Structure formats: C-alpha cells, structure tokens
C-alpha cells in the first residue's frame, strides 16, 4: 500500500540517526551583494547517506545556491555546513557535481574528461575507468570525440560519467536535464535511476520539474523564494526500482497536485 | 559519392581555384608589362621581367637568402621574447584584481604608441645593429599577444574551475589543466596577430635602424634607385608574411587548439 | 599745345595699360623651374637665389625644395617632380646609370669639404686604424665614393674589413656623439660644429665639389630657361661674394646654424673669392668635363654605379 507522509515544516536537526548525516547545513544564510533578500535564508537540512533528495522550487528559491553550498563552491554568509560531520571548507572530491550546462572541458576529449577525476586522485588506469563508465552510459563510441561535437543529451551523459568516475559518495546535480527535450529527459531519468541503483551514492538533485522530483527522489524538499527557505518536505514512499508507470498512479498524482499547489502559492508571492 | 568521385570533385575544385588564380596573376603581369613599357622609366616602374631577373641575381649571389634570414630571425626572436613576457603577465593580471589595477592603465597608455615611434629610444639605448630591431619586433608583438591572452584569461568559466576542483584538482592541476587550456585559443589568436605585427614592424625597423634584412635591402636599393630590388624586397615580404601566418594557422588548427576546429 | 585734362588722362591711361601689358607679358614669360637643394654647404647658392629674389630677375618662376642630400633629389628628378638640382657627382651618375641621358650637368659651384671624424678620445689616426670598426656614412652620397676609393687604395675591402653603417646625414652627428659608431663621414657645415663643440678629430679630409644638373627633358623643352638659370646662379654666387654676411645669415636661418660658422665655411669656397661678375666661371668647360670623367671612372671601377655611362652624354 502506498501512503503519503506529510513532511514537517522544518526538519528537526537534533533528530538523531545511527549514522552521521552525509550532508548537513545548519541555519545557513547566503546573501549576495546588492540584493535585498537573501538567496538562502536560515535553512537547515540534513541528508542521510544513500538518500536521494530532490530540491524543488520555482526560480529564485535558492535551490542552486544551496547546492553550491553543499558542493563547497560558495561559503554561507552565516551558519554552518558539514560533510560527513566535518565542516565544509571548499570543493571536495567526495562530492561529484553535475552541472546544468554540462561544463565539460572543451579542450579534452570525452575520454579525457571522464578520466580527469581518476587521474587527479591517482587512481590506477584512469583511462580504463573512464572507458568503463562511458560504457555504462552507452557512449563508448564517442570516447575520442570533442565534447562540442556531441548532442546535448550525450554531453550530459558524459557529465554524469565524469562525476561518477571517482565513485564519489555524494552526487550533486543542478538541473542536469533542464536543457534537454522531454523524450531525452525521460530516458536520462531512467538511466540515472539505473546507475544510482548500482552505485547508491547520496544524491542531491535540484530541479523545477515536479514530476521529475517525485519520480526520482526519496525525499522532496520544496523551497520557497524571496527569501529562499524550505517550505515543506515530502517523503516519497514508492518502491525501487521505479518505472515510468508509477507516474500514472493516483498517489503520484496526488503528490504532484499537492506540491504544485504549494509552489503556485509561493510563485505568486515572488511574481507579485 | 564513391571515394573516386569525391577525389575527382576535390581535384576539380582545387584545380579550378588554381586555374583562376593563375589567370588573374597572368592578367596582372600583362597589365604591368604594358604599363612599364609605356612609361619607359625603369626607376618609376620596372618591368616584371626585370624584377624576375633581379630575383635571379639576388638568389644566386645569396644576398636574398641572407636578408631573409636576418629579417626572419628578428621577427621570430622578438615574437618569442614578447610572448614569454606577455602570456604570463596577462594571465596573472587576469586573475589578480590588484595587479590588474596597477598595470592595466600603463598598458593602455603605452599601447597606442606605434613601434616605429620607439625607434629613436631603441637606438639610443641599444646602439645600432640588431638589438634595437629585436626590441621593436618585441614591442610590436607584445600588445596583441597580451590583450588576447588577457581576454583568454578572463574568459575562464567559474564552472570549469568548480568542476575541476570537485574532481579533486589542486592548484597545480587547475593552472595547467584548466586555466591554461581555457585561455589557449585566445592566446593563439593573439600570437597570430602579434606575429603579423612583428613582421610589419621588422621591415619598418630595418628601414631605419639595421644593416641587414629585407627592410634594409629596400632602403639601400632605394638610395641607388634600384626599384627592381625594392619590388623584390616588397614581394618577398608579402610572400613570407603570408606564409608565416598561414603556417601558424595550420598549426593552430591541427596541433594547438584542435577542439575549436573539429573535422 | 595746351595741356587738356582729357589729354592727360588719355596719356596716363595708355601709359598704364602699356605698362601692365608689358609687365603682364613679362610675367607670362617667366619660366617655371622646380629646384631641389641639399642641406650641405652647396645648398647656400639656391637659398640665396630664393631669398635675394634673383630667380625672378632672370625671368624664372622658381620653386625651391630642401632635401638632406642627393639620393632623394634624384628620385625627384626621376619622377619628373624636380627640374634642376644642386648636388655633386655620384648621385647624378647613379641616376644616369638607371635612366641613361636623363640629366645633364650645367654648372659647377665650387667646393667645400667632407671628412672622417672620430671622437675626441679615439685612438684612430688614419683610415687604416679604423679597420674592423663601424664607420657611419650616407650611402650613395658623394662622400661614399671618396671613402670607397680611399679604402681600395689602401688595398682593403670595404665589405669585409670595415663595418659601413648607412645613416641619414642628419643622424650622423648624433651617432658620433652617442658613440653608436666609431667614426663618421660628415660634410660641412656639421664637421666644423662637431670639431669645435665635441672636440672631434678629423683624420681624413676630401674636397666636396658642387655641381648643378637639370633634367634633359626640361632642358630640351626650355633651353632659354636653363640659360637663365645658369645666369641666375652666377648672380647668386656674386651676391654671396659681395654680401657674405647677408648670405650667411640667410643660409644659417634655413639650416638653424650659427651665421659665423656659415660665413667662415663660405670663405673656404674659392668661388666666393671673386670680386667681379666677369671673374665668376661656373659654366661647363673642358676642365669640368675632365673632372666628370675622372669621377665617373672611379665610381664605375669601384662598383658604386653599375654598368657603364658614356660621360659625353652627361653634358650638353
């Protein structure tokens, strides 16, 4: 039986788990110069190892900024951030990042892009690792091509392969499928889930697509804008592995409606 | 299309280009011959034939090769000197706001000064002979290389830096594997322009400050009213300039920044 | 006959018209001549020609253009932009070698000198001491010929045993001063200035002979004008001989020099020692033709001009 569990307004940071949270932010605020409202305002969030969390919300809700804090790309103006219980001081090879604009290095071939991480970490046979990963994402044919000659979908797959090459315990993804057409996006979602099934990294997945969030995640954190705060959290109970048919189930639709309502209310606030 | 057909088509298009080019050149030479015959003044306009003969003279007595070598050495040496200063300086300024604030205004003031205006100072500081000409070619090459390298440096995308760091890159790998390749296309563009500028400047510098080279050869020929030699000098300068830039372009596309020119 | 107002008016009018007519025709008869002159002492005669208005007196509408030395003036002749030039021997020889018969010598204008100067502290005492050293000079000027001849007469090779450096005349003093060259081949009036102010030493000296040439085309089309030109030159010489101070001041002004220097150097030109017009001989005579042939032979022998010229082509 599929059931919905209401999320709390704010997760209780003192709720203890047997394992240290993989990622944690505590009262984190990020403000930018020249902007009145903080991009992220006093947000606290805890993510367990192996959890797949979606950060969902309209533009301006601070989801990408929060992801950048997790990635170590941006230090919070106030509050603390932790990776495996240690304070975050900068980017770490433990957190693989997949960007919206793939950000592949144009001056390296696909293979060299994917081998970059393993090389930096001094792993054995970086090119072999890279080839394996390209196989997994089905791109062995284009190993020696330049990134600029690939289609958008292929570039994103390379981006994912590159981030996974170092087998990072954490995978941070910032609207990775946003620039793709609907069909490619659907295929990429399935592929991501199948990879995740095998490797089970902790994932923080930023998106504005409600269905994508529900389909992929264990927990959906809905954020509101101006200032960026957590509005609600939803546990997603569907069993894994998930197939696209789950999107037709009433529980799924119910979730989607509920989340959409919240977002509409919040979006209206920033619209006005 | 079958490979044979493709080959024939390619030969056809290359052949047409060659034929048209040759025809154009032939017409030009005919007009030139008629004009110089009409004018009848070997000092104002020598005939193409006398220019070819002069080519023969200068090649067989080795002086053309010597002057070409002298000019080429000046250009390449000056270019390399300029690049070895301009590229690191530009990249440092691209990444340091304070240094940029200190140095850029100076560069903006000095840049508009044409290389030829540096000649009096160059001669005063370095005497006559080769050193001033190296200085002039360096000055000419410096600014295009610097400005383009700077643009290349500032075009570094934060996301590439972020991606590299999250893949475990330290400062060394960041510099060599990310920043430098990212700036490389513009560095090469700047180098191409800088090489062209240095070539033009070397001829100017030699007109005044040297005792060998193509510019010098033109000046001395002018003093003895040997206009054929002047024309030989001019045409060699044009040919060599085109050859150098063409070669650099090819190297750029095949070797240095192949990712910008996928085939 | 009683003077009537109308009669007077008519006479006056006729007289006025006649005067204008004559003057007008006289103006219409002034031949145009474009004269080039250098900044060496040989430039003094054309400057005086200009400033004393002598050209106009000889029915010449003269335009004067100053140059540093011979070669640019030869370009002007070759392109038909100058008609007459005051120079020396080598530049016209060069031009004649390239465009046979294109110019003719029409006058000789005395002489000054050019010398090899070395800095005060130089150890060189003669040309031979300068072996292997840098000598600055203006290529294809008259001094070039003299230097090559002297080098060859010493049995040396100008290309391999000396470093001859080509500089424009106005760069030579600075080059010597700054030590950019070990010696410089400089003509008057600069030589005197450098000796006096820098303490430079003359280690060899040659006479620097002045000539005037005209474009053959111009000569054929305007024979009268050329005759008048030579007469005008004579008058200019006479003026310098009889008004040395004024002549010196004019030339000094045009070259930014000290008039006393100019006056002293003018005094060295035997041409200006004349006292009467009849004593001034500047036309081309046999002695001059002989000199032309000698200079031509030296220039050809030592490779300063290519090909052979028949020296008779160079004079009328």
């Amino acid at each position: 039986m599929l059931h919905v569990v209401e999320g709390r307004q704010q997760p209780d940071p003192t709720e203890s788990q047997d394992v240290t949270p993989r990622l944690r932010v505590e009262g984190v605020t990020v403000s930018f110069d020249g902007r009145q409202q903080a991009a992220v305002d006093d947000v606290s969030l805890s993510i367990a190892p192996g959890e797949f969390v979606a950060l969902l919300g309209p533009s301006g809700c601070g989801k990408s900024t929060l992801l950048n804090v997790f990635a170590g790309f941006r230090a919070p103006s106030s509050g603390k951030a932790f990776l495996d219980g240690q304070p975050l001081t900068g980017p770490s090879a433990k957190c693989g990042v997949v960007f919206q604009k793939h950000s592949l290095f144009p001056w390296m071939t696909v293979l060299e892009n994917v081998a970059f991480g393993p090389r930096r970490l001094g792993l054995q046979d970086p090119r072999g690792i890279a080839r394996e990963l390209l196989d997994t994402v089905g791109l062995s044919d284009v190993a020696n091509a330049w990134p600029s000659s690939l289609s958008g979908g292929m570039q994103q797959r390379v981006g994912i392969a590159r981030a996974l090459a170092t087998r990072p315990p954490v995978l941070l993804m910032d609207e990775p499928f946003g620039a793709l057409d609907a069909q490619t996006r659907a295929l990429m979602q399935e592929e991501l889930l199948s990879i995740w099934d095998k490797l089970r990294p902790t994932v923080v997945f930023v998106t504005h697509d409600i269905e994508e969030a529900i389909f992929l995640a264990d927990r959906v954190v809905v954020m509101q804008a101006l200032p960026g705060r957590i509005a609600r959290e939803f546990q997603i109970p569907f069993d894994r592995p998930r197939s696209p048919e789950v999107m037709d189930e009433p529980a799924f639709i119910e979730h989607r409606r509920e989340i959409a309502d919240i977002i509409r209310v919040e979006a209206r606030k920033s619209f006005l | 299309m079958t490979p044979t057909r493709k080959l024939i088509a390619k030969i056809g298009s290359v052949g047409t280009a060659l034929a048209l080019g040759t025809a154009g050149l032939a017409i030009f030479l005919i007009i030139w011959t008629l004009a110089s015959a009409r004018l009848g003044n070997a000092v104002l306009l020598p005939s193409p034939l006398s220019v070819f003969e002069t080519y023969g003279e200068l090649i067989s007595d080795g002086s053309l090769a010597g002057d070409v070598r002298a000019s080429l050495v000046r250009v390449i040496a000056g270019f390399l000197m300029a690049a070895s200063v301009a590229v690191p300086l530009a990249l440092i300024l691209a990444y340091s706001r304070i240094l940029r604030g200190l140095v850029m205004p100076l560069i903006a003031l000095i840049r508009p000064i044409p290389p030829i205006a540096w000649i009096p100072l160059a001669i005063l500081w370095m005497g006559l002979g080769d050193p001033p000409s190296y200085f002039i070619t360096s000055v000419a090459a410096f600014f295009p290389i610097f400005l383009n390298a700077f643009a290349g440096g500032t075009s570094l995308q934060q996301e590439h830096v972020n991606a590299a760091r999250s893949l475990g890159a330290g400062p060394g790998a960041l510099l060599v594997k990310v920043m430098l390749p990212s700036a490389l296309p513009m560095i090469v563009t700047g180098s191409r322009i800088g090489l062209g500028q240095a070539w033009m400047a070397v001829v100017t510098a030699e007109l005044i400050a040297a005792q060998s080279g193509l510019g010098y050869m033109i000046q001395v020929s002018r003093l003895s009213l040997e206009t054929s030699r002047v024309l030989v000098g001019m045409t060699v300068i044009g040919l060599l300039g085109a050859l150098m830039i063409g070669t650099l372009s090819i190297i750029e596309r095949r070797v240095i920044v192949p990712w910008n020119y996928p085939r | 006959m009683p003077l009537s107002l109308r009669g007077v008016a008519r006479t006056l009018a006729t007289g006025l018209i006649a005067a204008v007519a004559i003057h007008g025709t006289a103006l219409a008869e002034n031949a145009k001549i474009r004269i080039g002159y250098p900044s060496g002492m040989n430039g003094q005669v054309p400057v005086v020609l200009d400033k004393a208005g002598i050209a106009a007196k000889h029915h010449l509408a003269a335009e004067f253009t100053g140059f540093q030395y011979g070669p640019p003036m030869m370009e002007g002749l070759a392109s038909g932009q100058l008609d007459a030039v005051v120079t020396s021997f080598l530049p016209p020889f060069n031009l004649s070698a390239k465009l046979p018969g294109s110019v003719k010598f029409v006058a000789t204008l005395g002489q000054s000198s050019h010398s090899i100067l070395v800095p005060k502290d130089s150890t060189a005492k003669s040309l031979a001491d300068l072996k292997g050293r840098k000598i600055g000079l203006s290529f294809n000027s008259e001094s070039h010929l003299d230097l090559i001849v002297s080098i060859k007469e010493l049995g040396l090779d100008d290309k391999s045993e000396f470093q001859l450096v080509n500089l424009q005349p106005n760069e030579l003093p600075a080059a010597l001063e700054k030590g950019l060259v070990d010696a410089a081949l400089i003509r008057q009036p600069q030589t005197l200035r450098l000796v006096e102010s820098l303490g430079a030493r003359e280690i060899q000296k040659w006479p620097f002979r002045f000539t005037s040439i005209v474009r053959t085309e111009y000569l054929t089309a305007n024979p009268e004008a050329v005759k008048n030109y030579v007469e005008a030159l004579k008058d200019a010489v006479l003026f310098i001989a009889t008004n040395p101070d004024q002549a010196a001041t004019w030339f000094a002004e045009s070259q930014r020099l000290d008039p006393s220097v100019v006056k002293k150097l003018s005094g060295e030109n035997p041409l200006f020692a004349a006292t009467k017009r009849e004593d001034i001989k500047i036309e081309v005579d046999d002695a001059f033709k002989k000199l032309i042939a000698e200079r031509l032979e030296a220039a050809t022998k030592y490779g300063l001009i290519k090909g052979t010229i028949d020296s008779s082509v160079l004079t009328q």
Side-chain angles (χ1 to χ4, degrees):
Chain A
M1 208 321 320
L2 305 157
H3 62 280
V4 170
V5 169
E6 277 300 296
R8 283 146 294 215
Q9 286 290 89
Q10 285 277 35
D12 183 355
T14 61
E15 184 188 60
S16 57
Q17 294 177 300
D18 293 346
V19 192
T20 327
R22 184 70 84 196
L23 286 170
R24 189 158 73 86
V25 288
E26 208 177 274
V28 147
T29 299
V30 181
S31 14
F32 293 112
D33 296 327
R35 292 198 212 164
Q36 257 193 332
Q37 311 248 28
V40 172
D41 188 35
D42 194 25
V43 165
S44 299
L45 183 61
S46 188
I47 300 173
E51 202 183 349
F52 195 124
V53 172
L55 295 180
L56 175 66
S59 8
C61 68
K63 53 193 194 292
S64 290
T65 312
L66 188 57
L67 193 79
N68 283 344
V69 172
F70 281 134
F73 297 153
R74 184 168 292 287
S77 317
S78 62
K80 303 196 196 101
F82 301 92
L83 170 63
D84 282 338
Q86 302 300 317
L88 259 178
T89 47
S92 157
K94 277 193 189 175
C95 299
V97 186
V98 181
F99 303 82
Q100 180 172 22
K101 265 191 324 137
H102 66 85
S103 290
L104 297 179
F105 304 127
W107 51 86
M108 296 184 195
T109 59
V110 163
L111 188 70
E112 287 301 318
N113 263 282
V114 179
F116 186 84
R119 267 195 224 283
R120 300 281 80 72
L121 294 181
L123 301 178
Q124 283 266 47
D125 191 19
R127 305 190 87 196
I129 296 177
R131 257 183 255 279
E132 227 185 275
L133 237 60
L134 284 175
D135 235 355
T136 316
V137 296
L139 288 178
S140 343
D141 291 343
V142 294
N144 291 319
W146 299 110
S148 58
S149 61
L150 302 182
S151 70
M154 292 164 96
Q155 288 173 340
Q156 270 304 32
R157 278 190 274 163
V158 176
I160 294 173
R162 182 176 72 171
L164 289 174
T166 52
R167 293 278 191 280
V170 178
L171 195 58
L172 304 172
M173 307 178 82
D174 188 353
E175 300 201 56
F177 308 143
L180 304 177
D181 61 270
Q183 284 74 36
T184 318
R185 199 181 317 144
L187 290 169
M188 295 293 283
Q189 288 164 358
E190 285 179 62
E191 198 156 305
L192 177 63
L193 281 188
S194 95
I195 295 172
W196 182 78
D197 258 343
K198 291 189 218 140
L199 304 175
R200 289 286 162 144
T202 310
V203 179
V204 181
F205 188 101
V206 168
T207 179
H208 62 266
D209 185 327
I210 304 175
E211 289 193 346
E212 183 173 66
I214 303 175
F215 178 58
L216 294 174
D218 297 320
R219 175 158 57 121
V220 175
V221 174
V222 181
M223 294 186 70
Q224 66 189 60
L226 295 171
R229 291 211 186 103
I230 295 179
R232 286 267 288 274
E233 290 186 33
F234 294 85
Q235 287 296 125
I236 307 297
F238 304 121
D239 287 338
R240 295 198 188 265
R242 297 183 189 167
S243 64
E245 282 80 44
V246 75
M247 296 208 257
D248 297 323
E249 296 192 22
F252 189 100
I253 297 168
E254 178 60 34
H255 259 106
R256 194 188 64 208
R257 196 186 47 77
E258 212 178 331
I259 295 177
D261 283 341
I262 297 176
I263 291 184
R264 194 177 306 120
V265 166
E266 294 306 324
R268 190 156 271 147
K269 277 197 211 155
S270 64
F271 198 67
L272 298 171
Chain B
M1 270 205 275
T2 67
T4 334
R5 276 245 174 89
K6 269 194 190 163
L7 188 62
I8 294 177
K10 187 136 191 247
I11 294 178
S13 69
V14 170
T16 321
L18 270 176
L20 282 174
T22 317
L25 194 60
I27 294 174
F28 171 69
L29 287 175
I30 291 173
I31 295 178
W32 177 358
T33 313
L34 291 173
S36 76
R38 187 81 195 287
L39 211 50
N41 184 333
V43 171
L44 285 188
L45 186 63
S47 69
L49 192 60
S50 72
V51 174
F52 287 135
E53 280 171 359
T54 311
Y55 257 104
E57 261 174 55
L58 293 174
I59 292 177
S60 63
D61 72 10
S63 65
L64 188 61
D67 284 323
V68 164
R69 193 184 322 127
S71 294
L72 277 178
V73 166
R74 289 189 181 109
V75 165
I76 294 176
F79 171 78
L80 289 175
M81 287 195 284
S84 61
V85 174
V87 172
L89 183 65
L91 292 180
I92 292 174
L93 291 193
Y95 304 131
S96 160
R97 204 149 272 164
I98 296 178
L99 285 177
R100 195 190 311 180
L102 280 174
V103 179
M104 279 309 248
L106 271 175
I107 299 213
L109 281 175
I110 300 180
R111 178 188 161 206
I113 303 175
I116 192 173
W118 284 96
I119 291 178
L121 273 183
I123 297 183
L124 279 174
W125 289 338
M126 297 164 221
L128 293 172
D130 276 338
S133 55
Y134 288 128
F135 179 72
I136 299 293
T137 49
S138 300
V139 167
F142 180 85
F143 291 102
I145 300 177
F146 174 85
L147 290 168
N148 280 280
F150 181 76
T154 52
S155 72
L156 177 67
Q157 291 179 30
Q158 186 61 38
E159 286 203 327
H160 287 150
V161 174
N162 286 347
R165 291 179 73 190
S166 66
L167 287 165
L174 208 52
L175 182 67
V176 175
K177 300 262 168 186
V178 178
M179 292 177 174
L180 208 52
S182 170
L184 206 51
M186 293 234 63
I187 293 177
V188 178
T189 304
S191 297
R192 208 174 351 105
I193 301 174
L195 190 62
Q197 295 286 349
W199 185 237
M200 291 196 284
V202 84
V203 173
T204 322
E206 285 172 0
L207 286 175
I208 298 171
Q211 304 297 323
S212 65
L214 293 167
Y216 172 74
M217 179 252 234
I218 289 181
Q219 173 69 339
V220 167
S221 303
R222 176 197 173 198
L223 291 172
S224 40
L225 300 170
E226 296 267 6
T227 313
S228 290
R229 292 191 176 208
V230 171
L231 285 171
V232 168
M234 287 168 63
T235 46
V236 170
I237 288 168
L239 278 169
L240 282 179
L243 215 64
M244 278 197 296
I245 309 261
T247 311
L248 188 54
S249 280
I250 294 181
I251 298 178
E252 177 187 356
R253 287 156 176 269
R254 301 280 173 87
V255 178
I256 309 182
V257 285
W259 63 88
N260 264 357
Y261 304 94
R263 283 155 348 110
Chain C
M1 190 176 18
L3 286 167
S4 72
L5 204 57
R6 224 143 121 253
V8 170
R10 208 185 306 136
T11 321
L12 274 173
T14 323
L16 204 59
I17 293 169
V20 170
I22 294 169
H23 188 58
T25 10
L27 270 174
E29 278 169 17
N30 273 12
K32 183 148 171 240
I33 183 168
R34 294 161 304 171
I35 304 173
Y37 66 95
S39 55
M41 284 307 292
N42 42 353
Q44 190 181 19
V45 168
V47 168
V48 166
L49 202 59
D50 182 15
K51 292 271 165 58
I54 296 173
K57 291 201 193 96
H58 289 270
H59 312 299
L60 294 171
E63 283 170 23
F64 294 87
T65 316
F67 296 84
Q68 281 198 52
Y69 61 145
M73 295 196 284
M74 298 306 110
E75 284 179 337
L77 286 170
S79 59
Q81 285 161 22
L82 291 174
D83 304 311
V85 160
V86 172
T87 174
S88 181
F89 289 108
L90 187 61
F93 290 163
N94 240 322
L95 183 54
S96 295
K98 297 296 301 183
L99 298 176
S102 57
V103 289
K104 298 223 185 279
F105 287 94
V106 295
T108 136
L109 291 168
Q111 63 187 53
S112 173
S113 68
H114 43 232
S115 330
I116 302 181
L117 292 182
V118 293
K120 191 156 60 176
D121 50 8
S122 168
T123 53
K125 294 201 176 46
S126 69
L127 182 54
D129 293 337
L130 291 170
K131 216 168 106 167
R133 312 278 221 91
K134 268 193 192 144
I135 307 181
L137 70 147
S138 303
F139 281 17
N140 292 103
S141 68
E142 190 72 7
S143 52
H144 193 183
L145 176 56
D146 285 317
L147 183 65
I148 300 287
V149 169
S150 295
I151 291 178
K152 299 283 196 195
E153 282 177 351
L154 283 175
L156 298 168
D157 179 47
D158 56 295
K159 290 205 173 47
S160 57
E161 296 183 87
F162 290 90
Q163 288 181 58
L164 296 186
V165 171
N166 176 38
L167 290 163
Q168 304 267 288
N170 62 359
E171 294 172 338
L172 286 165
L176 189 66
E177 263 180 276
K178 303 235 166 10
L180 301 175
V181 290
D182 301 306
L185 193 44
I186 302 186
R187 64 189 172 184
Q188 297 290 16
Q190 297 298 346
T191 328
L192 186 59
R193 185 179 73 79
L194 287 168
V195 166
E196 286 182 348
S197 64
L198 262 174
R201 274 185 302 116
E202 263 178 355
I203 63 174
Q204 190 165 345
K205 186 170 172 175
W206 299 267
F208 177 19
R209 292 183 208 85
F210 304 150
T211 67
S212 183
I213 58 175
V214 294
R215 246 180 345 115
T216 313
E217 235 175 43
Y218 182 84
L219 177 56
T220 319
N222 306 280
E224 277 301 306
V226 176
K227 275 211 195 83
N228 292 338
Y229 170 63
V230 178
E231 292 301 315
L233 287 175
K234 216 182 261 190
D235 275 332
V237 170
L238 182 65
F239 187 97
I240 298 174
T242 51
N243 301 285
D245 290 312
Q246 177 63 278
T249 309
W250 277 335
F251 188 55
E253 253 168 29
S254 79
Q255 303 299 326
R256 297 201 207 126
L257 295 165
D258 188 353
S260 60
V261 167
V262 175
K263 187 169 170 198
K264 179 171 174 196
L265 292 170
S266 284
E268 288 174 4
N269 190 342
L271 202 60
F272 302 139
T275 43
K276 302 193 298 278
R277 197 174 196 278
E278 299 81 64
D279 296 335
I280 298 175
K281 305 255 182 296
I282 63 172
E283 286 88 349
V284 175
D285 56 8
D286 288 332
F288 187 42
K289 286 189 189 167
K290 188 152 166 266
L291 187 56
I292 292 176
E294 278 168 16
R295 293 297 277 174
L296 182 58
E297 201 196 314
T300 319
K301 181 171 168 194
Y302 293 119
L304 276 120
I305 57 168
K306 296 189 183 54
T308 43
I309 309 171
D310 180 0
S311 67
S312 58
V313 172
L314 294 168
T315 49
Q316 284 167 279

